[in-house]
């Protein structure tokens, strides 16, 4: 277990590098990974089950104690990202499947990796966890609804079927994880340290399957789509922070909401696109998974630099002159 824990920490620390490396391999040798595609939904269910194992009722308590930051963050999550995706798809004139796929990832709830990024950024972790949890629980209703409103012009959206898919792949696995934690808390606490590794392997498998299955599409539209994904994520991070600042939240909550808004559950996007649209529509989610695991650490590093400069200024101000 100690070896697995150490490997899990290593994989979490260097996940951005690993996901880029695996994506490159999948592009060069697609047949090595395309067999995974039929199992994407199962893999996402495993990730969500692991999320359920880490959740406690106290994680939802912050919503009752301090609802304003969480409510503002969740609203921003489901308003900013879908509308930004829609605007980018129109502005760049993306092909219908890619446009719908970009809106789909924008309409997804926050990703679990965001909680780690918020912690590293010295953000408000309880707000981050509550936002991830609440947005995930709202996803069966809001994700199909938003997609139907914004993306039905490109591809037919069966909101009812998508609702059922999200309940199966997210709500049920999370509920099972919460129940198991309640029944076997000691066992879960001993095993929870390796959950990041399981999630990382599952995400890598999903990304590699989508990249491998879209080698030709990446070769023809890769640069345009990657630019769209980078812009989508960057604008989401910026507008999340600005929204929190405009409503008067403190710096820790601004950072939490920024990261929560900008980092999506791209695994869910890839799964829904594969099942309800096409492998091509899953490509924006796969590229988003690669990019937001690069932009997240970069933003953490930037904020760390800002904090160190503020600390230095404060020390210089307090130091008495001789």
């Amino acid at each position: 277990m100690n070896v697995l824990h150490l490997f899990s920490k290593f994989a979490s620390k260097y996940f951005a590098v690993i996901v880029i490396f695996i994506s490159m391999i999948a592009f060069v040798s697609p047949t090595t990974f395309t067999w995974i595609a039929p199992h994407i939904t199962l893999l996402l269910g495993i990730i969500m089950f692991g999320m359920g194992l880490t959740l406690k009722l106290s994680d939802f308590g912050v919503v009752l104690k301090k609802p304003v930051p969480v409510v503002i963050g969740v609203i921003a999550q489901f308003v900013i990202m879908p509308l930004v995706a829609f605007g980018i798809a129109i502005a760049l004139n993306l092909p219908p499947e890619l446009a719908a796929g970009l809106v789909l990832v924008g309409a997804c709830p926050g990703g679990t990796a965001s909680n780690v990024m918020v912690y590293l950024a010295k953000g408000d972790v309880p707000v981050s966890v509550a936002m991830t949890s609440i947005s995930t629980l709202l996803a069966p209703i809001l994700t199909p609804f938003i997609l139907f409103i914004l993306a039905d012009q490109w591809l037919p959206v069966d909101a009812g079927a998508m609702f059922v898919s999200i309940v199966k792949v997210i709500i049920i696995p999370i509920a099972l994880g919460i129940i198991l934690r309640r029944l076997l808390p000691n066992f879960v606490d001993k095993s929870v340290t390796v959950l990041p590794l399981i999630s990382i392997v599952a995400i890598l498998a999903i990304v590699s399957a989508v990249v491998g299955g879209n080698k030709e599409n990446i070769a023809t539209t890769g640069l345009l789509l990657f630019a769209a994904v980078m812009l989508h994520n960057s604008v989401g991070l910026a507008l999340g922070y600005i929204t929190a600042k405009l409503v008067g939240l403190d710096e820790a909550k601004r950072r939490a909401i920024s990261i929560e808004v900008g980092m999506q559950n791209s695994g869910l996007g890839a799964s829904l696109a594969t099942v309800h649209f096409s492998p091509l529509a899953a490509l924006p989610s796969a590229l988003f998974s690669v990019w937001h695991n690069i932009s997240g650490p970069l933003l953490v590093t930037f904020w760390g630099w800002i904090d160190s400069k503020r600390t230095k200024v404060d020390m210089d101000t307090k130091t008495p002159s001789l």
Side-chain angles (χ1 to χ4, degrees):
M1 186 65 74
N2 287 334
V3 174
L4 286 175
H5 177 57
L6 291 174
F7 191 65
S8 179
K9 288 181 66 177
F10 174 84
S12 299
K13 184 176 181 180
Y14 297 103
F15 181 61
V17 177
I18 295 171
V19 73
I20 293 172
F21 179 69
I22 293 295
S23 299
M24 292 173 63
I25 295 176
F27 182 79
V28 173
S29 179
T31 54
T32 306
F33 301 95
T34 49
W35 63 271
I36 300 173
H39 309 293
I40 287 177
T41 299
L42 174 62
L43 290 167
L44 181 61
I46 292 171
I47 295 171
M48 293 298 101
F49 176 72
M51 178 181 174
L53 289 176
T54 64
L55 289 177
K56 304 174 185 176
L57 292 177
S58 58
D59 293 331
F60 299 93
V62 68
V63 182
L64 299 175
K65 295 177 182 177
K66 298 178 180 179
V68 174
V70 178
V71 170
I72 289 172
V74 171
I75 292 174
Q77 171 82 48
F78 284 113
V79 172
I80 290 173
M81 292 303 279
L83 290 179
V84 170
F86 180 79
I88 292 172
I90 295 293
L92 297 183
N93 195 27
L94 293 180
E97 288 175 296
L98 294 181
L102 191 67
V103 173
L104 172 55
V105 73
C108 285
T112 54
S114 59
N115 305 147
V116 178
M117 290 299 109
V118 171
Y119 169 76
L120 295 175
K122 295 183 173 62
D124 194 317
V125 177
V127 167
S128 172
V129 173
M131 277 186 63
T132 301
S133 304
I134 298 300
S135 65
T136 300
L137 294 178
L138 291 174
I141 296 173
L142 293 183
T143 298
F145 174 75
I146 292 169
L147 199 61
F148 178 77
I149 295 297
L150 297 180
D152 194 60
Q153 61 178 302
W154 292 304
L155 293 176
V157 177
D158 188 338
M162 194 168 287
F163 169 84
V164 173
S165 292
I166 298 175
V167 170
K168 288 180 179 178
V169 81
I170 285 190
I171 303 302
I172 292 176
I174 287 177
L176 291 174
I178 293 174
I179 291 170
L180 183 61
R181 184 179 182 87
R182 294 280 293 177
L183 295 176
L184 301 171
N186 293 332
F187 172 76
V188 171
D189 287 340
K190 291 178 181 178
S191 307
V192 76
T193 54
V194 299
L195 287 178
L197 178 60
I198 296 173
S199 295
I200 286 170
V201 171
I203 291 171
L204 290 174
I206 292 172
V207 171
S208 62
V210 175
V211 171
N214 284 282
K215 178 178 180 178
E216 291 77 13
N217 295 319
I218 293 173
T220 56
T221 64
L223 288 177
L224 176 65
L225 181 58
F226 200 72
V229 167
M230 289 176 63
L231 188 60
H232 186 201
N233 171 246
S234 301
V235 174
L237 292 169
L239 291 183
Y241 185 91
I242 292 170
T243 299
K245 184 176 182 179
L246 289 175
V247 296
L249 298 180
D250 61 43
E251 179 66 18
K253 291 179 177 61
R254 292 176 197 172
R255 295 182 182 185
I257 291 176
S258 169
I259 292 174
E260 282 295 327
V261 170
M263 296 187 72
Q264 302 295 88
N265 188 337
S266 49
L268 174 61
S271 175
L272 292 175
T274 302
V275 172
H276 296 279
F277 296 144
S278 69
L280 179 57
L283 191 53
S285 293
L287 293 183
F288 201 100
S289 183
V290 175
W291 173 248
H292 79 179
N293 283 292
I294 297 171
S295 65
L298 287 175
L299 186 58
V300 169
T301 301
F302 171 74
W303 276 328
W305 176 74
I306 292 293
D307 291 342
S308 65
K309 289 201 70 174
R310 286 175 179 167
T311 301
K312 186 177 184 302
V313 169
D314 290 342
M315 290 179 64
D316 290 343
T317 302
K318 292 177 182 178
T319 302
S321 56
L322 297 178

